[in-house]
Amino acid sequence: MRFRRSAAVAAVGIAVLVLGAGTATGNTRAPGEAPGIQIVPAPDDPAESQFVPGASNVVPPTAAPATDIGTDTNKIQILAAPFYACPGFSGIEKTNPLVNLYADKFAWGPYAAYKVGSGGGNINWALNPYKNASWYMWFHSLRWLGQGIVAAGKGDLAALTRVNTIAYDWYRDNPYSWKANVGAWESTMHRTNVLNCLRQAILAGLHVSTVPARYAWVDAALLSHARFLTYNWSGAWNHGTDESIALFGVGCVLGRTDYKNLAQQRFAAGITTSIDAEGGTNEQSTGYAAFNYSLWGRAIAVMQNCGVNPGTTIATRRALLAKFLTLATNSLGRLHQIGDTEVQATYPWTGTPLQFAGSKGTAGTMPLWRVGVYSAGYVFGRTGWGSDPARGFAGESTYSIRYGPGRAFHGHLDHTGITYTARGRDILVDGGYAAYNAGAYRTWSVGPSAHSVMTTPMSTYLNPVTRLTAYSVKANAESYVFADAPGSGISRVRSVLVLKDPDLLVVWDRASAKTAQAFQTLWHLPPDQRASVYSRTTAVAMAAGDTSKTILFQVPFKQALPAGALLVKQAQTNPIQGWHYPSSYVRKSAPTLMMARSGTTASILSFIVPVRSSGSVTYTVRQVGTTFIVNLNVGGQRAGIAISAGGSLYRAG
């Protein structure tokens, strides 16, 4: 999955006059006189296909719909004739130059260009040489014709002939309905937009105002695609929003009020489920949350550009999502890698709190909040936003914790999982996002053992609902308690304490089971570090030449440490462990620290302490009445943590 945003997108101005609806937050542009077709780049769609063969992709709306979208009393006046801009080709056209189109070659992702036709535009649409669902889906999207369509719009008649031939070949070889072909099905919304772009190229390239009879098939194809979208809506998630935008586009271009009205109804139904009242999304992925922010901005823009008032609900929910994404930004200026998310920078949307977060504090206004707890299943926190010059933006510590509803959509089995940054680097990472065709590695990356959680590998994971049972936020510490049942007859509780000055994590995992289990608390470390175990209690992780290191240790509490209580797993293939996917097709060896127990109960008290490369950590323990106290000295900074008889984990000094 690649979420790319170019500076050109953010620079596009708003060219609509809104009456009673406020300022638009999407990217819009009035038709210009420049040669060629008008392209207002849409947010790039995730590169990976989003369907699972044999599973439903329909997400029914569960919240009450918005009531302020496209109402007759809230029409807007626009400065130009209604229009629907070509949304571009999401970068897929970059690897498919004109010379390849003339040779009937298609290239996508990590794969070499492949000859898919006769050389004359007669394409074999059944091809899937790399046996990759995403390759096949983008092949059927026709987005690879982008460079040819742009050239055609500038008057290149040879390019127009070739892209028209290939697009018509798809239309002829894949008659309505193509629902039995899941790759062609999923790409319908993308292909609809390509056909709209081709229509614009025909008009611009031939300098005509109506589609010539030779190209009348394009309008017929748009109508068949609109018909498909009418009867096949994916509902309240990014796919359904993309479909509604494409359907609205056909209605705008062809003057079909029925299509526009249906799309508006679906926008209204989808927005309140896709982005909840707190600003969380239902897709369980920070990367897809960022994509949804862009996507709903485009929904606003296309309605405005066609004279329809988008109302205020979408803009309000987007503003809440902007806050969510701001809190989800770590001290490296990237989104915490959660769910199907590649390592990606936060985009600094001007005029939103994301501008500050995405620019690493060099632009915009510093946010007023530093901790966010979302019922969609996220906790985000940070020691600050860099207001202390001694720290700066990158010197702050940031963390994420997952909980909430069971896995769905683009989520992983990552409940109670933690990511953490400090001292200008990653400290704890997620296993990452493996491509759908990665087989066993995809299974691993989604599963619990790819996340910094306590696992029970001898039992079947049950995809539990995880509850946040208590939390406290103070100036120098935050504490959280999570509870769930990850397997049959197993209960699991995780208490997390996050400290500032010194910056560190304390995590107490305890579990019980009806039958003997292997309990493994896993800490996934960045791939640039090397981890060494020094004893049953202590390990150190450090990258060569780095100015900092991470000391990880466990303090015996309510349970003795057995032999093998602390192990490093890296680059294992059976079972798979010790890897990190920064992007879908890149897998790196990465150390995973395992704190292990066996039996019917476990109590694992972990400390994750980032320090300077020459720094050290010492500690003493004592019992005061019924309270267990650990006194820490972290490079000269002292702190105490305590566990009460009732199980509360808190800062004691």
Side-chain angles (χ1 to χ4, degrees), residues 259-278:
Y259 292 150
K260 290 194 296 180
N261 287 344
L262 178 58
Q264 290 160 213
Q265 292 169 18
R266 290 176 175 176
F267 289 141
I271 180 59
T272 50
T273 295
S274 180
I275 306 174
D276 68 27
E278 296 177 334

Side-chain angles (χ1 to χ4, degrees), residues 265-577:
Q265 292 169 18
R266 290 176 175 176
F267 289 141
I271 180 59
T272 50
T273 295
S274 180
I275 306 174
D276 68 27
E278 296 177 334
T281 73
N282 62 348
E283 302 205 34
Q284 299 188 356
S285 156
T286 48
Y288 274 89
F291 175 59
N292 272 282
Y293 182 83
S294 299
L295 193 62
W296 281 105
R298 176 163 168 76
I300 290 174
V302 298
M303 282 188 277
Q304 289 176 323
N305 288 339
C306 205
V308 171
N309 186 351
T312 60
T313 299
I314 298 176
T316 299
R317 293 295 173 103
R318 283 187 83 229
L320 292 167
L321 180 54
K323 179 179 179 181
F324 173 96
L325 291 167
T326 299
L327 287 163
T329 300
N330 65 26
S331 56
L332 309 178
R334 304 171 186 152
L335 294 174
H336 286 284
Q337 191 181 17
I338 298 173
D340 286 347
T341 301
E342 293 186 338
V343 172
Q344 65 184 82
T346 296
Y347 188 79
W349 289 91
T350 302
T352 76
L354 288 164
Q355 184 177 18
F356 189 90
S359 70
K360 302 179 186 178
T362 63
T365 302
M366 183 179 295
L368 299 176
W369 11 262
R370 62 179 186 85
V371 175
V373 178
Y374 289 90
S375 59
Y378 301 87
V379 174
F380 300 116
R382 57 196 312 121
T383 52
W385 289 102
S387 58
D388 181 352
R391 281 181 178 266
F393 188 93
E396 303 285 6
S397 296
T398 60
Y399 61 92
S400 74
I401 314 173
R402 280 281 287 127
Y403 73 105
R407 176 186 178 261
F409 313 117
H410 294 289
H412 291 181
L413 299 171
D414 57 1
H415 282 189
T416 74
I418 300 172
T419 65
Y420 187 49
T421 68
R423 304 185 66 85
R425 65 165 295 117
D426 283 315
I427 303 298
L428 298 176
V429 299
D430 186 85
Y433 174 27
Y436 289 111
N437 69 324
Y441 284 93
R442 168 67 182 175
T443 301
W444 170 82
S445 72
V446 171
S449 64
H451 309 282
S452 292
V453 303
M454 173 185 269
T455 64
T456 51
M458 292 172 58
S459 65
T460 300
Y461 195 77
L462 296 181
N463 190 20
V465 172
T466 302
R467 296 173 291 118
L468 173 61
T469 61
Y471 73 94
S472 170
V473 176
K474 297 181 179 179
N476 62 355
E478 292 94 62
S479 62
Y480 308 92
V481 182
F482 305 91
D484 61 17
S488 178
I490 301 172
S491 64
R492 176 177 68 171
V493 178
R494 165 165 280 191
S495 296
V496 181
L497 179 64
V498 188
L499 267 59
K500 176 180 181 180
D501 295 328
D503 293 4
L504 58 89
L505 293 178
V506 186
V507 180
W508 180 29
D509 287 319
R510 58 269 200 204
S512 63
K514 293 181 178 179
T515 58
Q517 299 289 330
F519 298 100
Q520 299 173 352
T521 289
L522 305 175
W523 299 116
H524 288 267
L525 306 174
D528 65 328
Q529 289 189 327
R530 181 176 181 270
S532 300
V533 173
Y534 289 90
S535 68
R536 293 186 188 185
T537 63
T538 306
V540 176
M542 184 174 175
D546 204 350
T547 59
S548 64
K549 64 185 177 184
T550 304
I551 299 175
L552 304 98
F553 61 95
Q554 53 184 330
V555 173
F557 180 60
K558 294 183 177 292
Q559 192 173 47
L561 302 187
L566 191 59
L567 304 168
V568 173
K569 305 292 184 180
Q570 185 161 357
Q572 285 188 178
T573 58
N574 187 22
I576 294 172
Q577 189 54 279

